[in-house]
Amino acid sequence: MRSLVLIGHGSHLNGESAVAAYRYAELIRARGLFDEVIEGYWKEEPSLRQVLRTTASTDVTVIPMFISEGYFTETVIPRELGLGHQGPVPPEGIARVIGGRTVRYTLPYGVHPGMADVIVARAREVLPELGPDGPADGVETALIVLGHGTTRNENSSRVIYENAARLRERGLFSEVHALFLDEEPRVTGWADLVRAPRVVIVPFFASEGWHTLETIPEELGLSGVVTPFPDTPHGPQQVHYARPVGTHAAVAEVILHLAEEARGAGGPGGDTERGHEAAWQAFLKLARRGARVGELLVTPELGVFEIRNALDEGRPGGDLMTLVTPEGVRDRVRFTDGGEHRPVHTLRSLPRGWRAVLNEADLRRAVHYTYPAVVEETYAHGCHALRPTPWATTARRQTGIYAKVQRAVPEQVERVAERVCAACLRTRLWAGERLTHSFLDGVPGGMPCAEACTFLVAEVREEVARKKAAAAS
Ligand code: SF4
């Protein structure tokens, strides 16, 4: 049995941030090469601290869904997963046994040599004449691999230079240049550098966003996919502007290559993780009788299960939107009824107006999406196997812009927690609260919180910054 975990950044504010990881997980799941594909996030749920506990097997491969190496892939993710490693990740990745699971952590997908193929695939979308040996129409064509670039992270530019060198060797283009948005050589100087009459620009960015949609076209004067420049130092030129590499479906192939390389010669995989399976069997036993789990009502019906918001109990099924897949449930519960993003799923804001009819396997996945890690953590709590992490430990672990939460005094943390956690179903074990009965014992809202979530950490950081600003004024 084998589990694959894709780690995305996620966001407390933007509900679209997690979509890329979801999409790649779906593509890889459809290939059937792993028994399960799970997503985990820095700023959403399941969080990096929780995600390993949500995997069903003892053989886990973790891939950071980042475009280059840096602070997150070398510091934050290894630290939060408990890999006992900080700093550059070797090409063969890192393997550790954590809580009975063999965990292999790889380099981010963006540094894999296979990304050169993704760049070519993006170039071909805007230049269909690009054949296997170069442009079929014989027009000299230059490629610009465009990176963000930042003087703070030389890794982010290294990957651009490496891909440019690989593609130069292939000889598909008459020129290949590595240019940047925020460092030299800058893409704004392309016309002085590029001699070919046709130029393809492929942004080596993780996602479509402000830079790819606005700043790059504006700074370069692009008017669409193809923009003519009649008067440049090298005569008339035409720029073809591609979409970012990170959103191309071929990235799924790169991820699979990374996963296979991390496993070396492979092997039979791991076993079913016993604690995980016991947790879900406990949940299913409850579900077969009918149960309330937080705001969710689970009803067994002729061999399948119906789930809906408990506030919709008694409403005719025809009045509700009927969902039939775990992914349908995931996309519904990610937003409140008012359309607001829900980075913390146990906040009491589960949307209404829907029901899902699912078989037992899909029920598990749908509940995972609705309340990530809750079944596993609640079961572990009942077995006295969920160790709370006090606030001081969580705060000490924070680095970068979050290190300032270490300056928060207990009263500040409590004030913020009273506001944020009051809306949450979970009981703050990390603050010394006690949970005597859980939803597995028939108390719907009984769910443990073993450690302050990143949402609360971010709110405490805001509080510290506000206090400092108030003291200075
Ligand atoms: Fe909920 Fe508070 Fe725990 Fe975050 S820290 S999961 S808001 S109880």
Side-chain angles (χ1 to χ4, degrees), residues 158-197:
R158 196 181 65 209
V159 72
I160 306 300
Y161 285 116
E162 285 174 353
N163 276 302
R166 278 183 200 116
L167 290 164
R168 218 169 274 133
E169 265 177 36
R170 289 196 196 177
L172 292 178
F173 300 93
S174 57
E175 305 166 45
V176 180
H177 299 275
L179 300 181
F180 301 92
L181 205 55
D182 272 359
E183 69 178 51
E184 297 295 341
R186 289 181 195 266
V187 69
T188 42
W190 72 269
D192 294 327
L193 203 65
V194 181
R195 286 182 303 275

Side-chain angles (χ1 to χ4, degrees), residues 21-32 248-252 256:
Y22 282 158
R23 217 164 61 85
Y24 290 124
E26 279 169 25
L27 284 172
I28 295 170
R29 212 173 276 133
R31 300 282 293 272
H248 196 285
V251 168
L256 285 171

Side-chain angles (χ1 to χ4, degrees), residues 2-15:
R2 302 167 62 193
S3 302
L4 178 67
V5 176
L6 305 184
I7 300 291
H9 188 283
S11 166
H12 294 151
L13 303 171
N14 177 5

